[in-house]
Amino acid sequence: MEHYLASEFDRQQATRRAPAYQHLRRALQHAIENGELPAGQALPGERELGKQLALSRVTVRKAIAGLVADGLVVQRQGAGNFVAERIVKSFSRLTSFTDDLRARGLDPRSHFLERGVGEVTPEEAMALNLSPGAQVLRYYRLRTAGEQALALERTVVPQSVLADPSLIENSLYEAFAAQGIRPARALQRLRAIAFDAEQARLLQLPEGSPGLFIERRTFLEDGRVVEFTRSFYRGDAYDFVAELHSEPTA
Ligand code: 16G
């Protein structure tokens, strides 16, 4: 680990001009992403890190503060800094399940429970701005990190956007990218739920366990809706964070 961090720090210094704390922040981030520093593991002490990389305590603190703000590291009073165990998801960034897990050095997977093509329902037509009779692709996926179940997702995509259901192998957003489709923004709503018996079975949780229901409609720059997804995330696995700004006073 020490060796990894030192060489990653050197690599950062050699590849871009930035203040030292940013090099350290990136080096630590890479260590987390690559599983060198697994979830729950203590980070080396601030003094030790500073000594090892010839950095001041202030620089080390600034790097760690950035990782705390990103949700990758948690500080425990008196005990030190640890790699966060829950997956921290920004509520203001348009990322995918795959992005979120990879950023934590985890292995994102999709298990397809249903996959098909059909005529749009009235509710889907409203959500996707489609006319009655339009064809849509429907997916129901169990999302896992390795074998660990994390979420259930029902996704509807207009067939005019993705021609064939088999275009999604693992990640919807990777399938979009492969077709040159670039989501520009999304509207999302979230509420607390209790998993019903079937959902709980699939997620290997007791029935009634708490979850987060998140509905996302994703738009292209030109206003077309490319995705209507209802996600059911395990309540014990995720933290949602958002940076808030005060309204300027008139
Ligand atoms: C996230 C999105 C979901 C999107 C999926 C794509 C939330 C709450 N939901 O789970 O709307 O369809 O990512 O992920 O963030 P994928 O590219 O890994 O299939």
Side-chain angles (χ1 to χ4, degrees):
M1 172 60 215
E2 271 173 33
H3 177 71
Y4 178 92
L5 211 55
S7 67
E8 187 57 35
F9 182 75
D10 287 348
R11 200 177 66 81
Q12 291 294 333
Q13 275 190 316
T15 46
R16 58 173 73 80
R17 284 171 69 90
Y21 81 91
Q22 285 190 15
H23 293 312
L24 177 58
R25 178 173 168 175
R26 278 177 187 272
L28 285 164
Q29 187 181 335
H30 283 194
I32 295 170
E33 287 173 5
N34 298 333
E36 285 284 330
L37 273 173
Q41 167 129 349
L43 258 53
E46 290 175 2
R47 195 186 311 240
E48 201 184 319
L49 266 176
K51 219 167 131 193
Q52 192 195 333
L53 302 170
L55 296 171
S56 74
R57 195 85 182 258
V58 175
T59 301
V60 173
R61 286 221 177 113
K62 223 167 154 187
I64 291 173
L67 294 166
V68 172
D70 286 345
L72 288 178
V73 168
V74 288
Q75 286 179 313
R76 292 198 201 118
Q77 208 63 46
N81 304 307
F82 295 82
V83 180
E85 302 210 45
R86 290 161 69 94
I87 297 161
V88 177
K89 224 180 130 48
S90 164
F91 212 64
S92 49
R93 249 178 266 151
L94 182 47
T95 57
S96 70
F97 180 87
T98 300
D99 296 331
D100 296 337
L101 265 68
R102 289 221 178 112
R104 293 296 315 280
L106 298 171
D107 171 23
R109 296 192 197 161
S110 288
H111 302 265
F112 288 86
L113 305 170
E114 291 167 27
R115 177 186 345 220
V117 188
E119 196 170 303
V120 73
T121 65
E123 188 204 9
E124 292 164 351
M126 288 271 285
L128 293 164
N129 287 339
L130 291 177
S131 309
Q135 295 290 302
V136 290
L137 314 182
R138 291 196 191 90
Y139 303 91
Y140 186 30
R141 291 180 291 166
L142 171 65
R143 311 301 310 264
T144 63
E147 289 307 313
Q148 167 76 52
L150 289 177
L152 290 163
E153 293 196 303
R154 280 192 187 278
T155 296
V156 191
V157 178
Q159 199 173 22
S160 56
V161 172
L162 285 182
D164 189 319
S166 67
L167 286 172
I168 304 183
E169 283 173 21
N170 196 35
S171 160
L172 171 67
Y173 283 26
E174 282 180 5
F176 281 161
Q179 304 292 309
I181 298 162
R182 274 176 234 305
R185 66 186 186 91
L187 275 179
Q188 218 165 247
R189 66 167 76 209
L190 172 149
R191 65 171 176 264
I193 53 151
F195 288 117
D196 66 25
E198 173 65 4
Q199 292 169 326
R201 185 182 64 77
L202 290 165
L203 292 169
Q204 297 167 349
L205 290 171
E207 184 179 344
S209 297
L212 295 163
F213 170 73
I214 307 140
E215 201 174 78
R216 182 186 281 193
R217 294 169 67 219
T218 304
F219 301 81
L220 300 183
E221 204 64 74
D222 65 10
R224 269 186 298 156
V225 189
V226 289
E227 163 195 28
F228 173 46
T229 293
R230 280 160 291 179
S231 306
F232 301 84
Y233 277 52
R234 280 177 69 141
D236 60 355
Y238 278 89
D239 277 352
F240 280 78
V241 294
E243 186 173 310
L244 308 178
H245 298 269
S246 63
E247 300 274 328
T249 44

